[in-house]
């Protein structure tokens, strides 16, 4: 509660009185200032009358006066009109207003003097122009009266708000007008012009003005031809297919709307593909209901100039019903099968004495004993003790429950266990919904392959060609990502031990990168220390019955339980069953295949089980050629990515690091590094700054 004697409470209570006091004070100051200005005007009128100025028929006898002390050779000359009247300019005119004086003739003591002056700039404070100083023998009249400058009244905040809005509007209009003027005066030979997509033989699509970037939307092929396409272009594809990527890029460049049917995302559509074309090869292109062919046929169509003919065929009526149907989003076409032990497990969840117990001086919540479990199975299935123990071990292998301290899978006796849904980490797992997945666990190899194909499809649709920029909002709304979440949920009780070493390596690499995308969508990019902890350590997946974070996958599994940078603790304690899934040997290339959603991390990519080793080498070469290593030959300094500094124990000594890096450099980079290593001189190794901003 707010203390009534606190300064904050006193300030809040006194705010209305302070506002009333200052408002009245400003009004009083304004009224007093107007009174003072009125008195000054009266005095000035008296002085004008006494000196012969300001009267009804008063006329100036001369125009020169000593005004500006800084420019001794110039005086102020008042401009007179031809009819004898004085020309008056308001004091609000701009300082940069220019006036040209060609000649001026005046008569003084029956002598005519002509003064010529070039174009000059006048002062905005008065309407007098500097001219050459008059001769000494000529009469010097008194200076004219200084024009009155009215003071602006003090306005309240409410009264000044419309002025602020008008100022912003005027500035915006001026800025827009400046852009239009700049564009209208733009010339083709301007050095700042940047042309993109010029291969389409269209107008400039993007150009840069210093401080301004203008992007012009291109017309599609149909719009350029003046065609109103009502038909449909559709084609069948697979994930990670080069020919499919070429077809997709062709239609994107032409600006044509198409329907892509990825049979890796929609597996049941493969049967339709075989029925229509007689094979399962992709890509297969359809114009309305007519099957045209694959990439070869599309190249012939493009090179032969018949693309316009095909487009004109689709003008008119809408796409017939015989064309390939648009994929239905939000519908699960994959069948789920309940686990054979599910009925028994559900009965045990209701009948077992689950309670909190003090075990080994620790309070363990929601646990039950192994003896109670065996007896519960015997009562429910009407089996003997030996078969009931075998059934309990099978339940443990399928990760329905675990030992509270991870000491064993299952042993009858004085041991305590806990159901998976009662684990303390379960609510922090982002692939966990209201309950655990009790369906029959799918083969680990099938889920690993399904995960990689879905993520390949996501990258092809929502990432740039170089995979350095990712459209996370588009991924969040996509059908591919929705189906990926279903696969992630199927990982809860998968048996990871059935995977081969290459399959396991590819799965953990892909899972790390997929989790990073999911983490950005769910909690955002890490900006501070606390955000990084939540991103790397607290964003969890339930995989094979155990929790995995980005930190656990990298440092616990892939790096064989090594400490993370700036940490003193290993991810896994002794006896942790997740250590059984770590590779037999650490591969340093893993650091260049993992993307954490930042700009300085390697480009996001996914791997296949058959080619994971070669794909890791390609990712390392791509990363170093993108600027992860730089040279200063004069200072004999090599600038390396900070990733190598963080995980230097994975690469060896500094000299070993340079020799190891040389294998993944291009010819120019390897030549520079070989030159530095050849003379056995000292080489300075510096590390680049890491950019933690998102790869948006």
């Amino acid at each position: 509660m707010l203390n009534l004697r606190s300064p904050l409470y006193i300030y809040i209570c006194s705010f209305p009185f302070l506002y009333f006091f200052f408002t009245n004070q400003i009004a009083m100051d304004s009224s007093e200032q107007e009174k003072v200005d009125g008195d000054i005007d009266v005095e000035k009128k008296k002085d004008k009358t006494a000196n012969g100025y300001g009267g009804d028929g008063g006329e100036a006898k001369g125009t020169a006066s000593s005004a500006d002390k800084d420019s001794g050779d110039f005086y102020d000359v008042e401009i007179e009109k031809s009819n004898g009247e004085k020309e008056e300019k308001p004091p609000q005119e701009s300082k940069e207003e220019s006036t040209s004086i060609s000649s001026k003739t005046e008569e003084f003591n029956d002598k005519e003097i002509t003064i010529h002056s070039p174009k000059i700039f006048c002062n905005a404070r008065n309407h007098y122009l500097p001219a050459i100083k008059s001769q000494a023998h000529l009469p010097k009249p008194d200076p004219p009266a200084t024009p009155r400058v009215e003071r602006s009244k003090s306005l309240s905040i409410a009264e000044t708000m419309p002025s602020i809005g008008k100022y912003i509007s005027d500035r915006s209009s001026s800025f827009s007008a400046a852009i239009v003027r700049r564009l209208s005066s733009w010339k083709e030979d301007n050095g700042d012009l940047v042309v993109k997509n010029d291969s389409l033989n269209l107008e400039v699509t993007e150009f840069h003005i210093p401080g301004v970037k203008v992007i012009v939307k291109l017309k599609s092929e149909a719009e350029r031809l003046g065609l109103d396409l009502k038909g449909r272009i559709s084609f069948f594809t697979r994930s990670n297919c080069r020919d499919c990527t070429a077809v997709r890029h062709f239609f994107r460049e032409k600006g044509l709307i198409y329907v892509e049917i990825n049979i890796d995302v929609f597996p049941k559509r493969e049967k339709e593909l075989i029925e229509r074309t007689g094979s399962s090869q992709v890509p297969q292109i359809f114009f309305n209901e007519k099957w045209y062919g694959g990439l070869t046929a599309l190249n012939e169509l493009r090179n032969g100039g018949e693309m316009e003919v095909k487009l004109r065929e689709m003008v008119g009526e809408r796409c017939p019903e015989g064309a390939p149907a648009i994929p239905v989003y939000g519908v699960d076409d994959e069948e789920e099968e309940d686990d054979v032990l599910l009925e028994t497990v559900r009965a045990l969840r209701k009948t077992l004495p689950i309670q909190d117990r003090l075990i080994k001086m620790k309070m363990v919540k929601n646990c039950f004993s192994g003896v109670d479990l065996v007896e519960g199975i015997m009562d429910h299935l009407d089996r003997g003790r030996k078969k009931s123990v075998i059934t309990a071990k099978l339940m443990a292998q399928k990760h329905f429950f675990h030992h509270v301290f991870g000491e064993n899978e299952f042993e009858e006796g004085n041991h305590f266990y806990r159901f998976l849904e009662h684990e303390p980490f379960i609510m922090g797992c982002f692939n966990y919904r209201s309950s655990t997945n009790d369906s029959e666990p799918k083969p680990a190899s099938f889920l690993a392959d399904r995960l990689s194909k879905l993520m390949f499809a996501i990258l092809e649709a929502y990432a740039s060609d170089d995979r350095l920029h990712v459209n996370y909002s588009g991924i969040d709304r996509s059908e591919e990502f929705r189906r990926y979440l279903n696969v992630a949920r199927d990982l809860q009780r998968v048996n990871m031990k059935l995977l081969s070493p290459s399959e396991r390596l590819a799965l953990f690499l892909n899972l790390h990168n997929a989790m990073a995308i999911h983490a950005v969508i769910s909690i955002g990019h890490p900006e501070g220390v606390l955000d990084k902890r939540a991103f790397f350590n607290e964003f969890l997946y339930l995989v094979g019955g155990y929790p995995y974070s980005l930190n656990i996958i990298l440092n616990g599994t892939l790096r064989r339980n090594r400490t993370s940078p700036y940490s003193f603790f290993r991810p896994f304690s002794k006896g942790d069953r997740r250590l059984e899934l770590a590779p037999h040997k650490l591969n340093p290339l893993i650091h260049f295949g993992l993307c954490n959603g930042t700009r300085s991390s390697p480009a996001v990519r996914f791997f296949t089980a058959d080619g994971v080793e070669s794909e890791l080498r390609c990712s390392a070469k791509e990363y170093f050629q993108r600027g992860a290593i730089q040279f200063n030959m004069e200072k004999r300094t090599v600038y390396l990515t900070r990733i190598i500094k963080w995980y230097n124990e994975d690469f060896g000594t500094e000299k070993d690091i340079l020799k190891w890096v040389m294998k993944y450099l291009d010819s120019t980079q390897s030549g520079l590094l070989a030159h530095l290593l050849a003379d056995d001189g000292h080489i300075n190794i510096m590390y680049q700054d890491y950019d933690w901003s998102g790869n948006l």
Side-chain angles (χ1 to χ4, degrees):
M1 296 180 60
L2 185 63
N3 188 358
L4 299 181
R5 297 183 179 181
S6 64
L8 177 60
Y9 179 82
I10 296 173
Y11 174 75
I12 293 174
C13 295
S14 61
F15 180 80
F17 302 100
L18 294 174
Y19 177 81
F20 179 79
F21 172 77
F22 284 116
T23 304
N24 293 338
Q25 186 66 31
I26 291 173
M28 293 175 61
D29 293 344
S30 300
S31 60
E32 291 177 3
Q33 185 62 49
E34 290 177 359
K35 182 177 180 181
V36 173
D37 291 342
D39 296 340
I40 293 175
D41 292 342
V42 173
E43 294 297 331
K44 287 185 177 180
K45 288 181 180 179
K46 292 180 180 180
D47 294 340
K48 286 185 178 180
T49 305
N51 294 327
Y53 290 92
D56 295 336
E59 182 180 30
K61 302 299 182 180
T63 57
S65 65
S66 176
D68 195 350
K69 299 288 185 179
D70 295 336
S71 54
D73 296 335
F74 289 88
Y75 281 75
D76 288 337
V77 178
E78 182 178 354
I79 301 175
E80 293 185 5
K81 296 184 179 179
S82 59
N83 58 3
E85 296 179 0
K86 295 182 181 180
E87 180 184 6
E88 295 183 358
K89 295 184 180 180
Q92 291 82 4
E93 291 184 0
S94 171
K95 292 184 179 180
E96 296 181 358
E97 180 181 358
S98 61
T99 306
S100 176
I101 302 177
S102 58
S103 64
K104 184 174 182 178
T105 306
E106 296 182 356
E107 293 184 6
F108 297 101
N109 296 333
D110 298 333
K111 293 183 180 181
E112 183 174 303
I113 300 176
T114 302
I115 302 175
H116 298 276
S117 175
K119 182 178 180 180
I120 54 179
F121 293 91
C122 70
N123 194 323
R125 290 175 294 181
N126 51 51
H127 57 276
Y128 298 100
L129 298 174
I132 301 176
K133 183 170 63 176
S134 61
Q135 301 297 324
H137 62 277
L138 296 179
K140 299 180 180 179
D142 296 332
T146 303
R148 174 188 174 188
V149 180
E150 295 184 358
R151 296 179 180 269
S152 61
K153 297 181 180 180
S154 300
L155 299 178
S156 64
I157 297 177
E159 293 173 328
T160 57
M161 286 304 295
S163 301
I164 296 174
K166 184 176 182 300
Y167 172 78
I168 296 175
S169 177
D170 294 343
R171 295 294 296 174
S172 302
S173 302
S174 302
F175 183 71
S176 303
I179 295 177
V180 173
R181 289 196 300 270
R182 188 65 180 270
L183 294 179
S184 62
S185 62
W186 197 263
K187 296 182 179 180
E188 295 182 356
D189 56 351
N190 195 305
D192 293 334
L193 187 63
V194 179
V195 182
K196 294 187 177 181
N197 291 340
D198 53 352
S199 61
L200 304 180
N201 297 323
L202 301 177
E203 299 296 330
V204 175
T205 63
E206 181 175 337
F207 50 91
H208 296 274
I209 302 172
V212 180
K213 179 179 179 181
V214 181
I215 299 177
V216 181
K217 182 181 179 180
L218 286 176
K219 291 184 177 181
S220 65
E221 188 77 8
E223 291 174 340
R224 290 203 309 118
L225 298 175
L227 303 178
D228 184 14
L229 298 183
K230 296 183 179 180
R232 182 193 305 157
I233 301 174
S234 55
F235 56 93
F236 289 84
T237 63
R238 289 185 185 273
S239 300
N240 198 26
C241 171
R242 291 185 179 181
D243 292 349
C244 299
T245 302
V247 172
R248 190 183 302 111
H249 284 176
F250 173 80
F251 288 120
R252 283 181 180 175
E253 290 177 354
K254 292 295 183 181
L256 298 173
I257 300 176
Y258 60 86
V259 175
E260 180 178 355
I261 307 170
N262 190 326
I263 60 179
D264 287 333
V265 179
F266 306 96
K268 289 191 174 182
R269 300 297 296 271
E270 184 176 3
K271 182 179 179 181
E272 177 188 352
L273 172 64
I274 297 174
E275 292 176 352
R276 289 181 177 272
T277 64
S279 68
S280 59
Q281 294 182 355
V282 291
Q284 298 296 339
I285 306 169
F286 289 79
F287 292 95
N288 287 338
E289 79 282 5
K290 297 178 181 179
W291 171 44
Y292 187 75
L295 179 61
T296 304
L298 184 63
N299 289 332
E300 294 176 356
L301 184 68
R302 177 178 55 184
N303 298 333
E306 300 179 0
M307 188 66 190
E308 181 178 348
V309 178
K310 282 292 181 183
L311 293 178
R312 292 187 182 279
E313 292 179 358
M314 294 191 295
V315 177
E317 297 183 358
R318 294 186 178 275
C319 180
E321 295 181 357
I326 299 176
V328 179
Y329 290 82
V331 178
D332 294 324
D333 53 7
E334 299 179 10
E335 299 178 356
E336 298 287 342
E337 181 181 355
D338 288 339
D339 197 295
V340 294
L341 298 175
L342 180 58
E343 184 179 352
T344 305
V345 171
R346 287 176 176 173
L348 293 174
R349 288 170 177 166
K350 296 178 180 179
T351 58
L352 286 178
I354 300 174
Q355 56 187 359
D356 301 344
R357 290 179 171 88
L358 183 63
I359 306 172
K360 296 182 179 180
M361 303 302 294
K362 294 182 180 179
M363 180 59 67
V364 181
K365 295 185 177 182
N366 300 321
C367 62
F368 55 88
S369 66
V371 175
D372 293 337
L373 178 63
V374 173
E375 292 179 355
I377 296 174
M378 292 172 60
D379 294 339
H380 181 74
L381 298 178
D382 194 15
R383 292 181 178 178
R385 180 171 294 274
K386 187 174 182 180
K387 290 184 178 180
S388 298
V389 171
I390 295 175
T391 303
K393 290 184 177 181
L394 184 59
M395 290 180 180
Q397 291 175 0
K398 290 189 173 183
H399 303 290
F400 280 110
F401 58 82
H402 290 151
H403 193 281
V404 292
F405 299 126
E407 296 177 356
N408 55 65
E409 282 189 348
F410 179 78
E411 291 182 5
E412 185 183 9
N414 192 23
H415 297 279
F416 294 91
Y417 302 89
R418 183 164 42 201
F419 281 113
L420 188 59
E421 60 269 22
H422 293 155
E423 293 285 356
F425 57 77
I426 194 67
M427 298 305 298
C429 296
F430 281 76
N431 66 334
Y432 171 82
R433 297 173 185 174
S434 57
S435 62
T436 55
N437 186 4
D438 291 334
S439 60
E440 182 69 25
K442 297 177 181 178
S445 57
F446 169 80
L447 293 177
D449 182 66
R450 182 90 173 119
L451 186 148
S452 64
K453 289 179 178 179
L454 286 173
M455 298 312 296
F456 274 123
I458 287 176
L459 286 189
E460 291 166 354
Y462 302 102
S464 59
D465 292 339
D466 56 6
R467 305 181 313 282
L468 296 177
H469 305 281
V470 181
N471 181 7
Y472 292 99
S473 60
I475 294 175
D476 188 24
R477 299 188 300 267
S478 68
E479 174 68 11
E480 294 88 344
F481 186 67
R482 190 189 70 83
R483 293 183 177 239
Y484 157 76
L485 294 179
N486 291 338
V487 174
R489 187 168 181 264
D490 290 336
L491 293 173
Q492 292 180 6
R493 298 193 299 112
V494 67
N495 190 351
M496 300 286 288
K497 296 179 181 179
L498 300 179
L499 294 173
S500 64
S502 60
E503 289 177 332
R504 202 177 300 158
L505 175 61
L507 175 58
F508 278 114
L509 290 170
N510 294 338
L511 187 61
H512 178 282
N513 294 343
M515 286 179 61
I517 293 176
H518 191 186
V520 172
I521 293 173
S522 299
I523 63 177
H525 283 97
E527 297 180 357
V529 177
L530 296 179
D531 292 340
K532 292 176 183 177
R533 178 178 179 180
F535 190 88
F536 291 101
N537 296 326
E538 298 176 2
F539 186 88
L540 302 175
Y541 266 22
L542 180 62
V543 180
Y546 297 96
Y548 283 87
S549 65
L550 296 177
N551 177 48
I552 289 176
I553 292 177
L554 172 57
N555 300 298
T557 303
L558 296 177
R559 296 186 64 226
R560 295 180 52 82
N561 201 27
R562 297 191 178 185
T563 58
S564 59
Y566 313 112
S567 176
F568 300 100
F569 303 98
R570 298 179 183 272
F572 298 147
S573 59
K574 185 178 180 180
D576 196 313
R577 293 189 175 274
R578 290 172 289 184
L579 279 171
E580 300 174 1
L581 303 177
H584 300 294
K585 184 179 179 181
L586 173 63
N587 186 353
L589 291 174
I590 60 172
H591 297 290
F592 310 108
L594 300 176
C595 176
N596 54 24
T598 59
R599 292 188 178 182
S600 289
S601 70
V604 58
R605 66 187 304 160
F606 295 91
F607 302 86
T608 61
D610 297 334
V612 61
E613 294 290 343
S614 60
E615 291 165 359
L616 280 174
R617 288 192 291 269
C618 291
S619 62
K621 292 179 181 179
E622 176 186 290
Y623 187 57
F624 282 111
Q625 293 173 10
R626 190 162 58 88
I629 184 171
Q630 296 176 357
F631 301 92
N632 188 329
M633 303 303 291
E634 296 180 357
K635 297 182 179 180
R636 296 182 59 81
T637 302
V638 179
Y639 299 91
L640 289 173
T641 173
R642 192 164 290 270
I643 293 177
I644 293 180
K645 179 182 180 181
W646 289 337
Y647 306 100
N648 54 4
E649 63 175 318
D650 300 347
F651 298 94
T653 62
E654 290 188 348
K655 196 167 186 179
D656 294 336
I657 290 175
L658 296 179
K659 293 180 179 179
W660 182 88
V661 165
M662 188 179 293
K663 297 183 294 184
Y664 306 101
L665 305 180
D666 58 22
S667 57
T668 303
Q669 293 174 329
S670 60
L672 294 174
L673 185 56
H675 179 73
L676 292 176
L677 294 173
D679 54 5
D680 294 332
H682 177 70
I683 300 175
N684 300 316
I685 297 181
M686 304 291 289
Y687 295 96
Q688 305 169 2
D689 293 334
Y690 195 89
D691 188 355
W692 286 98
S693 55
N695 58 344
L696 301 175

